[in-house]
Structure formats: structure tokens, C-alpha cells
């Protein structure tokens, strides 16, 4: 049973990685469809947490997501299997392309195909944005919605870098956790009052 789940994890990450064009945001969206909606291995909240951690950690988003996803599904061995499934396809494809780089670079058909793929990638990224936005709105938390709007304005209109936005959101998150902890402690519902 465990071997079957590991094999399914490997095949899923391998297939998604092999047929994904457009980077980390696209593959995270496809991970959600596969592991939350199709296989029911994760809850949607868990996948959102994985997405947030993968995007804010150094390194490629798909590999970061694979580490956490694999660990959540089957511990350290699951992480190794998910990472292998994720990195093998790009490694093989890039190695192949590097051999024929000059031919690919000057081929008009490939150039047109890449342009068309970009349009598809834009649609998938828009889908990710809409789904994440809906999930933030579902929380009905004014702070989360305000952070989402401020982050959008800062990046779109003022060209703030992603790292500034991540640290800003991290700060807001830590302040929110601290205030919730103080509120619970004042109401006598914190973990300290249970012990």
C-alpha cells in the first residue's frame, strides 16, 4: 500500500512537472487540482499553506512545494520521491535543449509555439490568482483582505519587489498571531490556562 502511494506520488509529480510550462505558480495550481481535488490527499488550506511557504522560501517554487507536499503525504521518503518526480523532467528536457540550442533558437515554429504557450500560462496564473483571492475573501478577515489589496497595489502600481511584500506579510502575520494570543490569554482560553 505504501509503495503504491509512493509510486502514485512519483508519477503525479513527474507528469505535472513534465507537462507544465510557465514556472512555479502554474505547477502549484496543478498540484492543488491533483492532490486536493482529485486524490484528496490534502485539504485546500494545507495546499494554500504549502503554496505560501514554497513561494516565500529560497529556491524553485516547484521543488519547494514538492519537499513539503511529499513530507506531508509520506514523510522524508515522500519528500525524496516528490523531489525526484519534480526535477527529473526539467533536467532531461533542458539537457536535450542545450544540445540543440542553436537549432531551437533560430526555429520560427518553436518561437511561435512558445508565444502561444505564454498565453496559456497567463490564463493558468490568472486562475491561481482568482482562487487564492476567493479563499482570502472566504475568511471574512478584514486584515487579510486589506493585506491582499495593499500587496497588489504595491507590486502593480509601485513595483515593490516580492521580498518586501513577503516580509511585510510576514510582519502582519506575526502581529496578528501575537494579538490573537493576547486576546485568548485575556479570555482565559489560551494553551497556558489549560495546563
Amino acid at each position: 500500500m505504501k509503495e503504491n502511494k509512493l509510486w502514485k506520488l512519483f508519477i503525479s509529480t513527474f507528469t505535472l512537472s513534465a507537462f507544465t510550462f510557465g514556472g512555479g505558480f502554474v505547477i502549484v495550481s496543478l498540484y492543488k487540482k491533483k492532490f486536493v481535488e482529485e486524490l484528496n490527499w490534502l485539504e485546500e488550506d494545507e495546499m494554500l499553506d504549502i503554496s505560501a511557504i514554497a513561494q516565500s522560501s529560497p529556491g524553485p517554487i516547484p521543488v519547494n512545494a514538492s519537499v513539503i507536499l511529499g513530507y506531508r503525504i509520506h514523510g522524508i521518503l515522500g519528500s525524496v520521491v516528490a523531489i525526484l518526480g519534480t526535477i527529473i523532467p526539467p533536467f532531461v528536457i533542458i539537457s536535450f535543449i542545450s544540445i540543440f540550442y542553436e537549432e531551437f533558437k533560430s526555429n520560427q515554429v518553436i518561437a511561435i509555439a512558445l508565444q502561444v504557450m505564454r498565453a496559456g500560462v497567463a490564463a493558468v496564473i490568472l486562475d491561481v490568482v482568482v482562487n487564492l483571492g476567493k479563499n482570502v475573501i472566504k475568511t471574512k478577515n478584514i486584515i487579510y483582505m486589506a493585506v491582499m489589496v495593499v500587496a497588489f497595489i504595491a507590486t502593480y502600481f509601485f513595483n515593490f519587489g516580492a521580498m518586501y511584500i513577503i516580509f511585510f506579510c510576514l510582519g502582519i502575520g506575526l502581529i496578528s498571531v501575537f494579538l490573537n494570543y493576547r486576546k485568548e490569554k485575556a479570555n482565559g482560553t489560551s494553551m497556558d490556562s489549560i495546563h
Side-chain angles (χ1 to χ4, degrees), residues 109-127:
V109 173
I110 291 174
I112 292 168
L114 290 174
Q115 288 291 340
V116 173
M117 285 181 185
R118 284 183 195 152
V121 168
V124 173
I125 290 175
L126 181 61
D127 178 54

Side-chain angles (χ1 to χ4, degrees), residues 75-111:
I76 293 172
L77 187 58
S79 285
V80 172
V81 167
I83 291 168
L84 287 173
T86 302
I87 64 172
I88 289 172
F91 178 77
V92 171
I93 292 167
I94 295 299
S95 298
F96 179 75
I97 288 174
S98 67
I99 295 168
F100 302 103
Y101 179 70
E102 287 304 319
E103 288 79 4
F104 277 113
K105 191 172 113 178
S106 58
N107 190 313
Q108 194 64 31
V109 173
I110 291 174

